Amino acid sequence: MSKASEQAYAKIRGFLLGGTVQPGSQLTEEQLAEVAGVSRTPVREAMRRLEAEMLLVRSPSKRIFVADWSRDDIDEMFTLRQMLEGHAANRAARRLTDAEIDRLEEVNKELHEAVDGETPDIVRFLDANRVFHEAITEAAHSPRLGQVLAMLVEQPVVLRTARQYSAEDLKQSARDHDELIAAFRAGDPGWAEAVMGSHLRRAFHTFAGAAEDDAVAE
Amino acid sequence: MSKASEQAYAKIRGFLLGGTVQPGSQLTEEQLAEVAGVSRTPVREAMRRLEAEMLLVRSPSKRIFVADWSRDDIDEMFTLRQMLEGHAANRAARRLTDAEIDRLEEVNKELHEAVDGETPDIVRFLDANRVFHEAITEAAHSPRLGQVLAMLVEQPVVLRTARQYSAEDLKQSARDHDELIAAFRAGDPGWAEAVMGSHLRRAFHTFAGAAEDDAVAE
DNA sequence: TGGCCTCCTATTGTATACAATTTGCCTGCG
DNA sequence: CGCAGGCAAATTGTATACAATAGGAGGCCA
């Protein structure tokens, strides 16, 4: 997307995830246009994307509301990711070249450095983590799969999850990636898929556990 | 979507699948606006949807082309459907009430009637088939799953597949549905998932086999 | 008082004019 | 003859004005 609608997307997304708006509240195109600093036209394009990502929902009469993600919704998202990224890992294991695996290893070295010290660097972790997962999805060479995952993977959820990780959780995450790389080197699709599956399922439970705590804290 | 953009979507889709345009050829918003009989604004919305369904692709410089689906693309689509609809069947098996299963049975009776005679009624078959699959996806109670499947299931591909089915293939399809219903009655998610998987995988091979024949015929 | 009808307002949908970007040609220079 | 540069045309992107539609408030009648 070009400048204005890309900017609209980014700003509105930030606005939605900033926590200042309440789930379920109504929004208007005009409001969002003001938030994004552009006219309604690019805002509409951004809204379509956000709707596809289910950060916005539409009433039957086309009015727009901030989506309200339940625990079940998050569960479902992680379940779908587990299936689809597991499949991506499986395909990647069949296709990755040694050079590409080297590259993954390099990215994961970065990730290790971010978490192996005394105080983990969450931002660095997230960056490396995103690059790592995207590289695998990319290596699966399946445009549809890539597109569907792009819709499903909500980085803010990943962020919130990572924030809940203990130092040990983060290190385990890095070790999962190590094992994925081993599976790739071995060219074992089933292994890769299984590792990816447990990696993501654990992430869900970390997230869900944290959400429970939040609920208790209220 | 409201009237004009819905109409644009339907007309452009028909235009793309009518076979009069060549895959890979460039299209402009203005052309499509003329085809749809509306202005560029609703055409753009329709284009976003068609892009998500990968019937259109965009060059890096935002120009638009008719997508060219390879055999691998079709394979991938069916593979993803197998995974996701299999998952839907699994979830549905856990949730469907007796009344809902009765309803499925009724729909499949319609489907049987469409194919059990001397000359199968493909249109009736397709309608019942679509309703049947949508009911299962619906019963999975997973909004994300439903949304993703809606993007993936290209009815024109289903149509082309059904056209290639022999009378016996069609009857087997109806029997697959019978078995799905049995799995639902038994409340056996694994069974339902497995049946759905083989059902879809067979569909792919029918399609692929037909495509091979086409290629040979040329 | 309760339900319904109507009109007004808020909101989304569509068309169109204009801006920005990209492409490809055409010219001129080496 | 080839290539670089820039100009013109085609195409997409954005803003804005206007149209259509849905929701809600208020009044009217039973």
Side-chain angles (χ1 to χ4, degrees):
Chain A
M1 295 300 97
S2 76
K3 201 176 156 204
S5 68
E6 190 60 35
Q7 173 181 331
Y9 173 76
K11 286 213 178 178
I12 294 170
R13 187 181 167 107
F15 174 66
L16 291 175
L17 297 161
T20 60
V21 283
Q22 210 161 5
S25 54
Q26 184 178 354
L27 298 174
T28 69
E29 295 180 352
E30 213 154 2
Q31 271 177 266
L32 294 177
E34 192 160 0
V35 168
V38 298
S39 83
R40 277 177 54 213
T41 309
V43 164
R44 287 178 126 252
E45 310 236 319
M47 278 171 37
R48 304 271 298 214
R49 275 174 76 182
L50 293 163
E51 216 185 319
E53 291 169 3
M54 302 191 89
L55 293 179
L56 292 177
V57 293
R58 233 170 239 273
S59 77
S61 60
K62 319 291 185 183
R63 279 169 165 69
I64 294 150
F65 301 84
V66 181
D68 188 5
W69 284 52
S70 68
R71 186 201 139 106
D72 278 355
D73 291 325
I74 305 276
D75 187 348
E76 186 54 23
M77 189 200 73
F78 272 103
T79 301
L80 291 176
R81 274 191 71 185
Q82 180 176 353
M83 247 190 316
L84 295 166
E85 286 203 50
H87 179 62
N90 184 306
R91 285 176 63 102
R94 300 166 194 275
R95 294 162 176 272
L96 281 166
T97 64
D98 283 342
E100 288 171 325
I101 301 177
D102 288 345
R103 169 80 187 123
L104 278 178
E105 201 149 29
E106 200 180 312
V107 172
N108 205 44
K109 196 175 153 222
E110 166 79 12
L111 195 149
H112 265 294
E113 281 167 16
V115 303
D116 280 348
E118 276 298 299
T119 54
D121 182 342
I122 302 284
V123 172
R124 234 175 120 196
F125 169 85
L126 282 170
D127 271 353
N129 185 63
R130 186 175 45 71
V131 171
F132 189 87
H133 281 262
E134 282 177 0
I136 292 170
T137 300
E138 177 72 20
H141 272 95
S142 168
R144 274 148 210 80
L145 186 57
Q147 194 167 314
V148 167
L149 276 172
M151 269 177 51
L152 239 37
V153 179
E154 289 297 336
Q155 287 300 327
V157 171
V158 177
L159 166 62
R160 212 175 134 190
T161 307
R163 283 223 178 102
Q164 300 298 344
Y165 273 144
S166 66
E168 185 47 41
D169 289 332
L170 290 166
K171 283 176 192 157
Q172 178 59 43
S173 221
R175 283 196 295 269
D176 285 348
H177 289 193
D178 288 337
E179 190 176 351
L180 261 174
I181 289 168
F184 291 145
R185 288 239 185 263
D188 186 331
W191 186 12
E193 183 166 348
V195 173
M196 182 63 91
S198 63
H199 179 57
L200 287 171
R201 206 60 203 161
R202 174 145 23 79
F204 165 65
H205 284 289
T206 303
F207 185 91
E212 306 271 298
D213 293 350
D214 282 3
V216 171
E218 275 171 22
Chain B
M1 295 299 97
S2 76
K3 204 174 153 201
S5 69
E6 191 61 34
Q7 173 180 331
Y9 173 76
K11 286 212 180 180
I12 294 171
R13 188 182 168 104
F15 174 67
L16 291 176
L17 297 163
T20 61
V21 283
Q22 211 163 359
S25 54
Q26 184 178 355
L27 297 174
T28 69
E29 295 181 352
E30 213 154 2
Q31 272 177 265
L32 294 177
E34 193 159 1
V35 168
V38 297
S39 85
R40 277 176 55 212
T41 310
V43 163
R44 288 179 125 252
E45 309 238 318
M47 278 170 39
R48 304 270 297 213
R49 274 175 77 182
L50 293 162
E51 216 184 320
E53 291 170 4
M54 304 192 87
L55 293 178
L56 293 177
V57 292
R58 235 170 237 275
S59 78
S61 59
K62 319 291 184 184
R63 279 166 166 68
I64 295 149
F65 301 85
V66 180
D68 189 6
W69 283 53
S70 69
R71 187 201 138 105
D72 279 355
D73 290 326
I74 305 275
D75 187 348
E76 186 54 25
M77 189 200 73
F78 273 102
T79 301
L80 291 176
R81 273 191 72 185
Q82 179 177 353
M83 247 191 314
L84 295 166
E85 287 204 50
H87 178 64
N90 184 307
R91 286 175 63 101
R94 300 166 195 276
R95 294 162 176 269
L96 282 165
T97 63
D98 284 341
E100 288 171 326
I101 300 177
D102 289 345
R103 170 79 187 124
L104 278 177
E105 200 150 30
E106 201 180 313
V107 171
N108 205 44
K109 195 173 154 224
E110 167 79 12
L111 195 149
H112 265 294
E113 281 168 15
V115 303
D116 280 348
E118 275 299 298
T119 54
D121 181 341
I122 302 282
V123 172
R124 235 174 118 198
F125 169 84
L126 282 169
D127 271 354
N129 185 64
R130 185 175 47 72
V131 171
F132 190 86
H133 280 263
E134 283 178 0
I136 292 170
T137 301
E138 177 71 19
H141 273 94
S142 169
R144 274 146 211 82
L145 185 57
Q147 193 167 314
V148 167
L149 276 171
M151 271 177 51
L152 237 39
V153 178
E154 289 297 335
Q155 286 300 327
V157 171
V158 178
L159 167 63
R160 212 176 135 190
T161 307
R163 283 222 176 102
Q164 301 296 345
Y165 273 144
S166 67
E168 185 47 40
D169 288 333
L170 290 166
K171 283 174 192 158
Q172 179 58 42
S173 222
R175 283 195 295 269
D176 284 349
H177 289 192
D178 288 337
E179 191 177 350
L180 262 174
I181 289 169
F184 290 146
R185 288 236 185 265
D188 186 331
W191 185 12
E193 183 167 347
V195 173
M196 181 63 91
S198 62
H199 178 56
L200 287 171
R201 206 60 203 162
R202 174 144 26 78
F204 166 64
H205 284 289
T206 303
F207 185 92
E212 304 273 297
D213 292 349
D214 282 3
V216 170
E218 275 170 22

